[in-house]
Amino acid sequence: MPEPDLKEIAVLGCGLMGSGIAQVCAQAGYETHVLETSEERLKPGLAAIHKSWEKFAAKGVLTAEQAAAAQRRLHPTTSLRDLEKAQFVIEAVVENLAAKREVFQQLDERLPPAAIFASNTSSLSITELAASTRRPERFVGLHFFNPVPLMKLVEVARTVATDQAVFERAVAFARSLGKTPVRTGDRTGFIVNRLLVPYLLDAVRALEEGVGSIVDIDQGMKLGCGYPMGPLTLLDFVGLDTTYYIAEIMFQEFRERRFAPPPLLKRMVLAGWNGKKAGRGFYDYRQGGEPQPMNLG
Ligand code: 3HC
């Protein structure tokens, strides 16, 4: 159910995360404007949303009518002008400070002072992003998880400057999307990546040190701890480049070895073996069917 006095949402970026966020906003009843830099860049995200709605309709998660209504509420655009009525903005553009600051600054000039700004960043400082706008008290972190339409969690992060009422409004907004919000502060990695990233990096170290094979490390954690995916499968799913980038930022922040990317991860990223999206990572996805573990030498 949408929040009573909230109607128009803007989602910046229609990549893996942005498309999922736009999808859940439209599903929840919000008029959702999703921005990309070109029609070409909008296409894969919109295709993923439609595929997801088809799946949900086929499984009875949504009725065909609910899926069609959500579709009507989704407004793709390449123009900032179409976002001017947005009351809540969620940024999910590339994980780069300069790119995020630029788009926030452009919107800050165009949108009314009451609009709330949120970033889906997983590792950059919310405070630093907020400081590039004239509304740091109306700025929060809103961190979704991949795949957004299925994962229940949203981390809601406040900075020292965030207005308490705005923070609570962001928590209520996350809940209105059918998600379970958890409250956190502007600490690099928030709650989940603070704990998840060292675990994923340790799995790579265990592989490097010959503790077990790719399959055995994954099976160990899946069957021994009840995790839905083994850590190396999860790394392929999240993206080795993404994890490497987040780990580097966390290492710079905390200067602790547990956040330092292991050499094997770096070399796989250098080789372009970034996981599922690249066709290979710890597993080979190029043949289709059951992915096979790679021979990493
Ligand atoms: N929309 C609709 N359906 C989808 C979908 C989507 N976007 N994505 C996947 N599905 C479907 C699958 O195709 C599958 O359909 P099927 O049954 O018809 O084949 C169905 O959902 C369920 O998939 P599975 O049978 O593989 O079942 P699982 O129970 O394993 O669920 C999962 C899949 C939810 C992805 C589960 O494996 C999981 O929870 N994995 C861990 C994911 C995780 O940890 N994510 C967080 C990553 S960290 C992060 O995002 C933070 C960032 O900052 C790094």
Side-chain angles (χ1 to χ4, degrees):
M1 278 291 284
E3 282 288 283
D5 48 353
L6 203 53
K7 195 164 175 276
E8 304 262 345
I9 309 294
V11 179
L12 316 179
C14 192
L16 187 67
M17 298 303 285
S19 62
I21 297 168
Q23 176 183 339
V24 295
C25 290
Q27 269 172 229
Y30 294 108
E31 295 300 325
T32 306
H33 305 270
V34 56
L35 179 82
E36 254 304 345
T37 47
S38 69
E39 296 288 342
E40 211 42 48
R41 295 185 72 114
L42 272 170
K43 271 188 201 155
L46 295 178
I49 296 174
H50 296 145
K51 200 169 146 202
S52 178
W53 277 335
E54 272 172 20
K55 268 206 160 142
F56 283 160
K59 287 184 176 172
V61 177
L62 292 177
T63 64
E65 176 43 40
Q66 284 170 328
Q71 165 94 60
R72 286 194 293 275
R73 287 190 289 265
L74 184 68
H75 312 289
T77 180
T78 57
S79 168
L80 284 172
R81 239 174 299 135
D82 290 331
L83 310 183
E84 281 173 3
K85 282 197 284 175
Q87 297 159 287
F88 204 110
V89 174
I90 309 164
E91 169 278 316
V93 306
V94 61
E95 193 73 353
N96 171 291
L97 184 66
K100 287 181 190 291
R101 289 183 81 151
E102 187 184 337
V103 68
F104 274 127
Q105 276 166 356
Q106 286 172 341
L107 276 179
D108 197 27
E109 286 163 17
R110 288 173 181 267
L111 264 57
I116 296 175
F117 282 9
S119 174
N120 178 56
T121 183
S122 48
S123 50
L124 299 171
S125 161
I126 305 295
T127 310
E128 197 168 0
L129 289 170
S132 62
T133 70
R134 290 171 299 187
R135 61 185 84 210
E137 68 292 345
R138 303 188 72 72
F139 205 116
V140 292
L142 211 57
H143 185 218
F144 291 80
F145 292 81
N146 182 25
V148 178
L150 301 186
M151 301 299 284
K152 284 283 175 207
L153 186 73
V154 176
E155 291 179 311
V156 188
R158 61 168 305 159
T159 74
V160 287
T162 308
D163 184 279
Q164 184 62 30
V166 169
F167 185 53
E168 292 308 328
R169 194 156 166 73
V171 169
F173 171 68
R175 205 170 277 129
S176 78
L177 301 178
K179 303 295 183 194
T180 301
V182 290
R183 294 171 166 82
T184 184
D186 180 25
R187 309 278 191 292
T188 306
F190 308 128
I191 298 170
V192 173
N193 279 337
R194 169 79 164 250
L195 299 174
L196 177 66
V197 170
Y199 159 64
L200 295 179
L201 301 180
D202 252 348
V204 180
R205 286 187 195 105
L207 182 66
E208 274 179 326
E209 290 164 19
V211 176
S213 68
I214 294 173
V215 171
D216 287 347
I217 289 172
D218 271 353
Q219 292 283 38
M221 295 313 290
K222 214 175 138 177
L223 303 181
C225 296
Y227 289 1
M229 289 175 171
L232 302 172
T233 301
L234 184 55
L235 269 158
D236 277 358
F237 182 71
V238 170
L240 273 62
D241 50 344
T242 306
T243 307
Y244 180 78
Y245 184 79
I246 295 172
E248 276 287 2
I249 292 184
M250 295 185 81
F251 182 69
Q252 280 165 29
E253 175 86 2
F254 299 113
R255 311 277 169 173
E256 290 177 33
R257 181 180 182 269
R258 64 198 173 113
F259 298 111
L264 175 61
L265 181 64
K266 181 174 180 183
R267 273 147 190 79
M268 290 177 75
V269 172
L270 288 172
W273 295 14
N274 287 327
K276 202 169 175 190
K277 64 185 171 188
R280 60 189 153 168
F282 291 101
Y283 294 86
D284 192 342
Y285 302 87
R286 291 171 296 176
Q287 307 300 328
E290 188 67 24
Q292 296 303 312
M294 292 293 291
N295 181 354
L296 298 176

